[in-house]
Amino acid sequence: MKTIFQDKPVEYPEKRPDGRPLKSILDVLLERRATSHFKPDPVPEQHLNAILKFAAQAPSGYNLQPWRFIVVREKANRERLQKAAYNQEKVAEAPVVIIAFALKDDWKNHIDDIFLEGVRRGYGKPEMVPGLKKMASDFLEHGISQPVWVNRHTMIAVTTMMLVAEAYGLDTAPMEGFDPQALGREFGLPENAEVIALLAIGYGESPDKVYGGRLALTEFVHDEHYGHPWNHEPDNPIPAIGEEIERHILEPVPA
Amino acid sequence: MKTIFQDKPVEYPEKRPDGRPLKSILDVLLERRATSHFKPDPVPEQHLNAILKFAAQAPSGYNLQPWRFIVVREKANRERLQKAAYNQEKVAEAPVVIIAFALKDDWKNHIDDIFLEGVRRGYGKPEMVPGLKKMASDFLEHGISQPVWVNRHTMIAVTTMMLVAEAYGLDTAPMEGFDPQALGREFGLPENAEVIALLAIGYGESPDKVYGGRLALTEFVHDEHYGHPWNHEPDNPIPAIGEEIERHILEPVPA
């Protein structure tokens, strides 16, 4: 068994780099914007380490943790990354850009170590491991496509990373605009790599990008069954239909 | 234009249902476990609404928000869902289970409304919309597969929802063990639906599932280039190789 494991984070900054307290997760979600331009100010090493260690605490199917990251901080490398990301300026501006990727079928190289580590920590009994492994392998080989599975899981860790960075008072920009082949060549990714997202982290140049609005709950949440719009929001009654909706939509938004 | 939009949440509980303050995101990540069994206690309606509204604040490519949810609370429906989820007990036990899905190619039905809503709120100029739409459409039709794209984005909202629920002191269980066909039949999903995850929300029955450990940063984080393990963690020096690693791995873990 060669894989090295870590425990939950023990030492990590409990405040923002400027000493202010962490943002609450609700404030993070109210204030987070996809940052278009970054200042050159660096992200403190201890905060970056904490962001990575907390990202690792994300859940995954069978604890297989398929997410992999490349942390890009060197200027020359950020410029190479920018070229592989349709020349987006924020990629070269941000002091840290993380390439989130996964290796398809790489779970086969880690499943034994991960399951044995679980048993060692008291999760189940050794005699359960073969059955658990068969169940996981059947699902991963026949129940789902690898590109779907690695995207699904890697985004749990990427989202976690983004929200922790924001709670530390940093700004972020998640991106899916890149050329995966070019990026793979520049950063030495193996053939079975699936590049999933970029996440720039740093300090944004104001002003923030305008908030584009979100679909109402009635548009994307169904109540008990598909086709029954969610309508349990006491403080936000939904207009009936037709003209009333048109009027609601077209009324001016305060600047 | 028929789509209804919402703004950022304005009214939402700022505390847990029992009146205690929100958990910090770091405590959420340290304490969150995939819950195996739930108590029957209900999730307060106002907290559930807030969880959904904050999930909607997740970012997505071109703000297209492909995530869709079915909120299942009725006992009979949770039992039907349990049958479509390999009979996992937690599905029928939890007071709320959310089916996260997406409709492939459904972005075509919303892109105009979403882009016009953005313009109405001051994001870009009306004359930019056709070019932006062409860029988005080219990517979504030719640059990526729909199953990958909808999984990638829906998990940003699911992860957000899970972390907000945990910050409210609730327990959660994300699941990918379900039969998508059976689930689609039971809940009336259309043909182009991609079922992505289930998220049970409620109050867990103790004890928590044992923490199975996580891969060390050196295992999944690369420094500047693939194949150069991240080794910037001052408080966690990495053993050299070989026997020393074996010893590190095999030392007993405190109970």
Side-chain angles (χ1 to χ4, degrees), chain A residues 177-246:
Chain A
F178 47 78
D179 173 347
Q181 274 74 39
L183 197 154
R185 276 194 308 274
E186 289 293 334
F187 292 89
L189 291 178
E191 290 271 305
N192 62 333
E194 170 96 1
V195 186
I196 293 166
L198 304 180
L199 185 71
I201 306 177
Y203 294 94
E205 283 279 10
S206 46
D208 269 354
K209 203 155 92 175
V210 168
Y211 178 71
R214 290 295 190 270
L215 299 178
L217 295 192
T218 46
E219 295 282 346
F220 75 95
V221 183
H222 303 252
D223 192 9
E224 299 291 334
H225 192 274
Y226 181 80
H228 301 168
W230 180 258
N231 203 348
H232 294 279
E233 210 185 342
D235 57 332
N236 186 11
I238 303 303
I241 38 163
E243 272 192 327
E244 195 168 356
I245 294 179
E246 291 288 331

Side-chain angles (χ1 to χ4, degrees), chain A residues 1-244:
Chain A
M1 188 154 84
K2 295 246 178 67
T3 311
I4 304 177
F5 290 86
Q6 64 175 329
D7 284 307
K8 293 182 185 185
V10 176
E11 293 195 31
Y12 50 83
E14 298 190 23
K15 295 187 172 179
R16 307 188 209 183
D18 64 7
R20 282 189 292 164
L22 276 183
K23 282 189 193 181
S24 83
I25 188 169
L26 303 188
D27 284 344
V28 161
L29 295 170
L30 293 171
E31 295 173 13
R32 187 206 56 77
R33 305 293 306 124
T35 300
S36 301
H37 290 284
F38 287 87
K39 295 175 186 166
D41 310 27
V43 174
E45 186 106 339
Q46 56 179 343
H47 287 81
L48 178 56
N49 269 308
I51 290 164
L52 296 167
K53 286 194 276 187
F54 280 102
Q57 304 311 313
S60 56
Y62 299 102
N63 197 25
L64 289 171
Q65 310 163 61
W67 47 76
R68 299 291 179 269
F69 302 137
I70 303 176
V71 179
V72 183
R73 294 190 289 183
E74 295 288 341
K75 187 165 186 291
N77 291 335
R78 286 185 280 124
E79 288 169 358
R80 290 161 61 227
L81 183 54
Q82 182 187 20
K83 282 186 197 136
Y86 305 122
N87 219 31
Q88 294 178 78
E89 290 172 351
K90 57 192 163 197
V91 175
E93 288 169 4
V96 178
V97 185
I98 294 176
I99 303 169
F101 69 103
L103 302 176
K104 285 170 275 194
D105 291 317
D106 188 44
W107 60 271
K108 294 178 185 173
N109 301 318
H110 298 283
I111 189 166
D112 288 331
D113 285 3
I114 288 173
F115 283 7
L116 287 172
E117 177 74 7
V119 167
R120 202 177 68 89
R121 288 168 182 264
Y123 181 61
K125 299 208 165 67
E127 56 269 29
M128 288 166 55
V129 168
L132 196 63
K133 184 175 172 185
K134 183 173 185 318
M135 197 189 298
S137 303
D138 281 351
F139 173 64
L140 290 164
E141 283 174 351
H142 310 297
I144 195 160
S145 85
Q146 277 291 297
V148 161
W149 186 72
V150 298
N151 269 274
R152 183 183 286 177
H153 284 84
T154 299
M155 290 311 290
I156 310 176
V158 169
T159 304
T160 302
M161 188 156 61
M162 176 178 76
L163 298 181
V164 171
E166 295 273 345
Y168 277 137
L170 297 160
D171 297 304
T172 61
M175 287 167 262
E176 60 176 346
F178 47 78
D179 173 347
Q181 274 74 39
L183 197 154
R185 276 194 308 274
E186 289 293 334
F187 292 89
L189 291 178
E191 290 271 305
N192 62 333
E194 170 96 1
V195 186
I196 293 166
L198 304 180
L199 185 71
I201 306 177
Y203 294 94
E205 283 279 10
S206 46
D208 269 354
K209 203 155 92 175
V210 168
Y211 178 71
R214 290 295 190 270
L215 299 178
L217 295 192
T218 46
E219 295 282 346
F220 75 95
V221 183
H222 303 252
D223 192 9
E224 299 291 334
H225 192 274
Y226 181 80
H228 301 168
W230 180 258
N231 203 348
H232 294 279
E233 210 185 342
D235 57 332
N236 186 11
I238 303 303
I241 38 163
E243 272 192 327
E244 195 168 356

Side-chain angles (χ1 to χ4, degrees), chain B residues 152-169:
Chain B
R152 184 184 286 177
H153 283 82
T154 299
M155 290 311 291
I156 310 176
V158 170
T159 304
T160 302
M161 189 156 61
M162 177 179 77
L163 298 180
V164 171
E166 295 273 346
Y168 277 137

